Amino acid sequence: MKNNFSKPFLLALGLIMALMISFQTLCHGQSPGAIYGTIETIDGNSYTGALRWGKEEAFWSDMFNSQKTRNTNVKYLSKSDYEKMKGEKEEGWKWNNYSISFIWDDEYHATTHSFACRFGDIARIELKGREEINLVLKNGEEIELEGGSNDIGADIQVRDREIGEISIPWNRIEVISFSETPDNLRAHFGEALIGTVKTERGEYTGRIQWDHDECVGEDKLDGDTRDGDVSIKFNNIAAIKKDGRGSEVTLRSGRTMYLYGSNDVNSGNRGVVINLPDLGKVKVGWDDFVSLELIWGRNSDMMGYKDFPKPEKISGTVRTTNGQTLRGELIYDLDETWDLEMLDGSDEDTEYSIPFRNIKRIKPKNYAYTEIILKNGQKLLLGDSQDVTDKHDGVLVFTSRDSSPKYVVWDDIDEILID
């Protein structure tokens, strides 16, 4: 049977259909940044799909936080090294009567050693107890962790590709295995919040976590108005501007509202987090925050699982104040070993967590501040953290595979150049 449609009409129809498919793909797919994996339960059941930690982390560049159960790097220190680090604290030692060897009290091992990396750096999480896990990195390295944040113990939401959404209690989980997010994944937790945050010290454009937890368009901004309480989906918001004891909220329609009375919109806000591929995590406190302008339709720009390389040991050159140069693998602050681990520091009410793989140069300025130069050329002057002040425990440099590492106390460091 011969149709009566002209060739131009059919071409136009085909173009319209292609545009419709592309539009649907943009609306429902294109989410390479969504955390994706398989949860195996203690009964042997498995659930595969997009994952979200409670009502918080949902994307590969979100941070996973916990605590290391122990730190064995202290074994590399001599007695004189330890005295340099801790001062003349002889009670930290127990001497063996039969040799010049010594053993440590549990004083150093008992101190807290935090651990943080991005979800995209993790291959697998194996549960070992109520708060104990074995975290496996992409290179197969295993790290024992315990508690330290609500990332341990959280119910995990799964958008299973066959059964839909399920919330799995932490105590039902045996293993969480991560894998690359499928192209055009439809069953995820929503479009990421991407925008520009203006602060008292500049501005950042990246993926946003509002009040430290709202991170997708379906999440809601809560507040009071003179006419009653409201909960507005971020999908409908164009901008948020701090204003007195509340915030002025501009909707995508152009409508404006003044909200107050909630930690979403006042000084009770726990921080506006910006996730940046070439920096790390920036958390802007309310004192530094000025405004947020959301940008929609940019989810395809986000980091996918494959954008996080296998971790490598931190390596570089340490130059001392007396002119010595030491090069090799480094253990920073007697703790951080891998390039995916974080250097933490603050500038006033803005906090930074920077993977060592993004750092080019670390130069102590005085007892309270350190200059950090990133590989993208950005300079930061950071304080308020052990990583960047005189509370630092020093650096171990493995100059040769066959020799013991050299220990350099923080006061003796002129600069560190990271490979």
Side-chain angles (χ1 to χ4, degrees):
M1 179 176 177
K2 190 174 181 179
N3 65 57
N4 296 319
F5 299 118
S6 66
K7 186 174 182 181
F9 175 84
L10 292 173
L11 289 173
L13 181 62
L15 178 59
I16 290 170
M17 291 178 67
L19 289 171
M20 289 177 65
I21 291 171
S22 298
F23 178 77
Q24 290 175 347
T25 298
L26 287 171
C27 292
H28 301 291
Q30 292 293 332
S31 189
I35 300 174
Y36 188 87
T38 298
I39 292 182
E40 299 174 37
T41 70
I42 56 176
D43 290 333
N45 299 319
S46 64
Y47 303 88
T48 299
L51 308 179
R52 188 173 188 183
W53 255 244
K55 296 182 179 180
E56 298 185 9
E57 296 87 358
F59 299 98
W60 291 121
S61 55
D62 282 331
M63 302 279 285
F64 181 87
N65 296 275
S66 186
Q67 289 180 176
K68 297 176 181 178
T69 58
R70 56 198 174 94
N71 187 336
T72 60
N73 295 320
V74 71
K75 68 185 178 184
Y76 296 114
L77 301 186
S78 67
K79 181 176 184 293
S80 61
D81 290 337
Y82 183 76
E83 289 174 345
K84 287 179 183 179
M85 180 181 69
K86 294 297 184 182
E88 301 296 328
K89 195 172 183 180
E90 295 292 336
E91 63 268 24
W93 298 85
K94 291 182 179 178
W95 290 88
N96 187 312
N97 292 329
Y98 301 101
S99 71
I100 61 171
S101 65
F102 52 82
I103 59 176
W104 295 94
D105 280 338
D106 289 332
E107 176 191 352
Y108 189 80
H109 294 276
T111 59
T112 299
H113 301 281
S114 62
F115 174 84
C117 71
R118 293 177 287 187
F119 278 88
D121 292 311
I122 305 171
R124 191 168 64 255
I125 296 174
E126 303 167 348
L127 275 67
K128 298 299 183 183
R130 185 183 299 272
E131 293 196 341
E132 298 83 22
I133 67 167
N134 193 44
L135 186 142
V136 183
L137 303 177
K138 280 184 169 181
N139 62 357
E141 183 73 18
E142 299 181 6
I143 303 176
E144 294 179 2
L145 303 172
E146 180 177 4
S149 82
N150 63 357
D151 291 340
I152 304 291
D155 293 350
I156 310 299
Q157 318 297 320
V158 187
R159 290 280 174 95
D160 186 88
R161 56 191 175 189
E162 292 181 314
I163 68 171
E165 186 167 340
I166 182 172
S167 178
I168 304 177
W170 186 259
N171 62 7
R172 298 288 303 168
I173 298 172
E174 186 170 16
V175 178
I176 306 169
S177 300
F178 298 99
S179 55
E180 188 171 341
T181 308
D183 292 337
N184 301 323
L185 176 68
R186 293 175 179 269
H188 52 82
F189 291 91
E191 185 173 0
L193 305 183
I194 296 175
T196 298
V197 175
K198 293 184 179 179
T199 79
E200 296 292 346
R201 263 165 285 283
E203 63 181 51
Y204 294 96
T205 298
R207 191 178 62 76
I208 306 300
Q209 293 166 269
W210 183 265
D211 190 29
H212 212 270
D213 57 6
E214 289 94 359
C215 63
V216 298
E218 291 296 309
D219 290 339
K220 295 179 180 179
L221 181 80
D222 299 319
D224 300 341
T225 73
R226 291 182 178 180
D227 299 321
D229 302 346
V230 296
S231 291
I232 307 172
K233 287 185 178 180
F234 276 87
N235 277 331
N236 297 325
I237 297 174
I240 303 170
K241 182 179 180 181
K242 182 173 69 174
D243 187 358
R245 295 186 177 182
S247 296
E248 181 184 83
V249 178
T250 302
L251 305 184
R252 295 173 75 177
S253 66
R255 183 180 181 182
T256 61
M257 305 182 73
Y258 184 75
L259 302 186
Y260 59 93
S262 161
N263 66 337
D264 272 350
V265 292
N266 64 22
S267 60
N269 191 295
R270 293 170 295 172
V272 181
V273 175
I274 311 101
N275 296 277
L276 302 159
D278 57 354
L279 193 159
K281 184 180 84 170
V282 181
K283 186 171 79 170
V284 179
W286 198 251
D287 285 348
D288 279 354
F289 175 74
V290 175
S291 65
L292 163 66
E293 181 178 347
L294 289 167
I295 303 168
W296 297 100
R298 287 269 299 273
N299 274 244
S300 59
D301 294 345
M302 291 165 50
M303 296 180 72
Y305 191 56
K306 64 182 178 182
D307 294 321
F308 294 83
K310 290 183 179 180
E312 297 181 355
K313 294 285 185 71
I314 300 170
S315 64
T317 300
V318 176
R319 292 175 178 162
T320 69
T321 54
N322 63 6
Q324 189 176 18
T325 297
L326 302 170
R327 177 171 175 76
E329 292 182 351
L330 312 178
I331 297 180
Y332 188 85
D333 191 29
L334 281 188
D335 184 18
E336 287 89 7
T337 301
W338 299 99
D339 64 356
L340 54 75
E341 295 189 78
M342 301 289 161
L343 179 143
D344 298 313
S346 298
D347 180 6
E348 297 296 336
D349 201 29
T350 298
E351 301 174 14
Y352 296 82
S353 294
I354 309 170
F356 279 88
R357 62 168 61 121
N358 289 345
I359 298 173
K360 179 180 180 180
R361 182 173 181 251
I362 301 169
K363 185 173 180 61
K365 304 301 287 186
N366 59 23
Y367 69 94
Y369 290 96
T370 295
E371 181 183 74
I372 307 297
I373 300 179
L374 305 182
K375 290 180 178 176
N376 66 7
Q378 184 175 354
K379 292 183 180 181
L380 299 168
L381 187 64
L382 303 181
D384 294 333
S385 164
Q386 180 167 317
D387 282 342
V388 290
T389 67
D390 62 356
K391 295 180 181 179
H392 198 285
D393 281 338
V395 177
L396 290 168
V397 186
F398 292 80
T399 58
S400 170
R401 292 179 182 270
D402 300 323
S403 65
S404 298
K406 306 294 184 182
Y407 174 66
V408 186
V409 295
W410 185 247
D411 286 349
D412 291 344
I413 293 174
D414 178 56
E415 65 176 358
I416 302 172
L417 304 175
I418 305 294
D419 291 340

